[in-house]
Amino acid sequence: MGLLRYSGRRVVQAVPVLLGVVAITFALVNAAPGNPVEIMLGPSPNQAAVETLKAKYGLDQPLHVRFWKYLVNLVQLDMGRSIYYDAPVTTKIAQRLPQTILLMVSSFAFAIATAVPLGVISAKRRNKPTDHVTRIVSLVGVSTPSFWIGLILIILFSYNLGVLPATNLVMPWAHPSTVTGASTRLGVLYVAGAHLLLPMLSLGTLQMAAITRIERSSMLEVLSDDYVRLARAYGVKERTILRKHAFRNAQLPVITIIGLQLTTAIGGAVLTETVFEINGMGRLIVSSISRQDFPVVMGTTFVFALVFVVGVIITDISYAYIDPRVSYGDQE
């Protein structure tokens, strides 16, 4: 019951955070110079056409009225209508969101699958060549922007070697008839994997490096604890100590950094999608900002904020399952 009550409290606490994101985004997009209607109609628009479009999208109303209406509609999952696309914002997000989710999930899967073993091995072989190489790779990964990694990967594997595609993203569930070079479901998966590999590596390298550093530090701290030394004194094998005694207790900081890396992944997804010309949420928000498509900018920002908040809540709740010392009972 304690965990359930805590989960409910965290969800309630997320509401003012999301409300603050909406308010700040609304203020910023409306403070930007220029007018989206005039951008659509050209440098010398007809005044009657301008007024008609402003009335259509509610831009002729006071800011406080527009903000209140937006909040009311948002509660009903209505994010307004795109000025540039002349389509519901929810429709555009539904079209672009799967690509971004696939990119972020695959990058996190790559980061965790590589970072955790590297961190454990590095801690086990502290100050040995393996540890030095891992630390150098982690330092380079943390220091290198994802878009630069993407450009290097494109130059190396696409233009020089010609073994991997440099643009677009094929969804694994696409029908074979819609995918060039695929006639079967297995062929679709192969093409999708080939298109996904470079963006996944580009976006996941930073997460991998950060998680590796935390995994190594956490494992080193746990391996120096008294109960681990006692286990060694009793003759327990090092592999058993790592697997049964040290590994699980060392994962709490790792889970924390994984949750916090969501912000980096969201920001990196915008750059990665631009570099690899992926029609996801990142490119949608960048193009909408340049077009001053206020409803789309508001909607995409809200979705990104929602993903981050949900990720942080899941991270907090997962503490209790990883470390039994963490309690979410009434005493807190």
Side-chain angles (χ1 to χ4, degrees):
M1 179 60 72
L3 181 59
L4 183 61
R5 202 175 281 123
Y6 174 82
S7 303
R9 187 164 66 248
R10 292 290 283 118
V11 171
V12 172
Q13 292 172 350
V15 174
V17 174
L18 294 175
L19 182 60
V21 170
V22 172
I24 293 173
T25 308
F26 185 85
L28 289 177
V29 297
N30 283 279
N35 190 301
V37 173
E38 294 178 357
I39 291 177
M40 289 179 58
L41 297 178
S44 301
N46 180 275
Q47 191 60 35
V50 170
E51 297 301 327
T52 300
L53 282 180
K54 283 185 176 181
K56 178 180 179 180
Y57 295 105
L59 299 176
D60 57 339
Q61 300 174 348
L63 282 179
H64 67 279
V65 175
R66 289 161 53 192
F67 182 66
W68 174 251
K69 287 185 177 180
Y70 185 82
L71 290 179
V72 173
N73 292 333
L74 187 62
V75 173
Q76 305 173 40
L77 301 181
D78 180 6
M79 299 182 183
R81 194 172 186 86
S82 168
I83 299 175
Y84 179 81
Y85 297 102
D86 194 23
V89 174
T90 51
T91 300
K92 300 303 298 182
I93 291 177
Q95 293 173 353
R96 303 292 189 94
L97 188 59
Q99 287 86 340
T100 301
I101 291 179
L102 176 63
L103 178 60
M104 292 181 61
V105 169
S106 62
S107 66
F108 266 100
F110 159 73
I112 296 172
T114 55
V116 173
L118 284 175
V120 173
I121 294 172
S122 181
K124 180 182 177 182
R125 302 182 180 181
R126 183 181 185 182
N127 293 330
K128 293 183 179 180
T130 304
D131 181 31
H132 295 319
V133 172
T134 301
R135 291 164 66 185
I136 292 173
V137 171
S138 300
L139 180 61
V140 173
V142 169
S143 308
T144 308
S146 59
F147 71 88
W148 189 85
I149 296 176
L151 292 174
I152 295 300
L153 291 175
I154 290 175
I155 293 172
L156 179 60
F157 291 100
S158 296
Y159 289 100
N160 290 340
L161 299 179
V163 294
L164 291 171
T167 58
N168 298 325
L169 193 65
V170 176
M171 308 308 290
W173 51 83
H175 194 274
S177 61
T178 63
V179 178
T180 304
S183 57
T184 63
R185 176 58 53 187
L186 186 61
V188 172
L189 294 178
Y190 175 80
V191 174
H195 280 79
L196 180 63
L197 186 57
L198 293 186
M200 178 189 72
L201 293 176
S202 175
L203 183 58
T205 299
L206 179 58
Q207 283 77 43
M208 180 271 293
I211 297 171
T212 299
R213 290 163 63 90
I214 298 299
E215 181 72 49
R216 177 185 180 276
S217 300
S218 184
M219 285 294 298
L220 286 175
E221 182 179 353
V222 172
L223 288 173
S224 63
D225 285 345
D226 291 338
Y227 73 91
V228 173
R229 295 177 181 176
L230 182 61
R232 290 196 181 107
Y234 274 102
V236 179
K237 294 181 179 180
E238 192 69 21
R239 180 178 298 179
T240 303
I241 292 175
L242 286 172
R243 180 167 50 88
K244 288 188 175 182
H245 302 288
F247 180 76
R248 182 172 181 178
N249 292 336
Q251 298 314 301
L252 204 59
V254 177
I255 292 178
T256 303
I257 195 64
I258 289 175
L260 295 177
Q261 283 296 307
L262 270 173
T263 54
T264 307
I266 291 173
V270 175
L271 299 175
T272 303
E273 289 178 4
T274 302
V275 170
F276 290 93
E277 297 185 8
I278 298 173
N279 290 321
M281 293 279 288
R283 289 191 73 189
L284 179 62
I285 192 173
V286 169
S287 61
S288 298
I289 290 174
S290 63
R291 295 162 180 160
Q292 291 192 325
D293 196 344
F294 296 160
V296 177
V297 174
M298 293 284 297
T300 50
T301 304
F302 176 78
V303 171
F304 278 141
L306 182 63
V307 169
F308 175 72
V309 168
V310 171
V312 171
I313 292 176
I314 293 175
T315 300
D316 289 347
I317 295 174
S318 64
Y319 286 172
Y321 293 97
I322 298 298
D323 193 337
R325 296 172 295 180
V326 177
S327 174
Y328 294 126
D330 297 333
Q331 69 270 20
E332 295 187 351

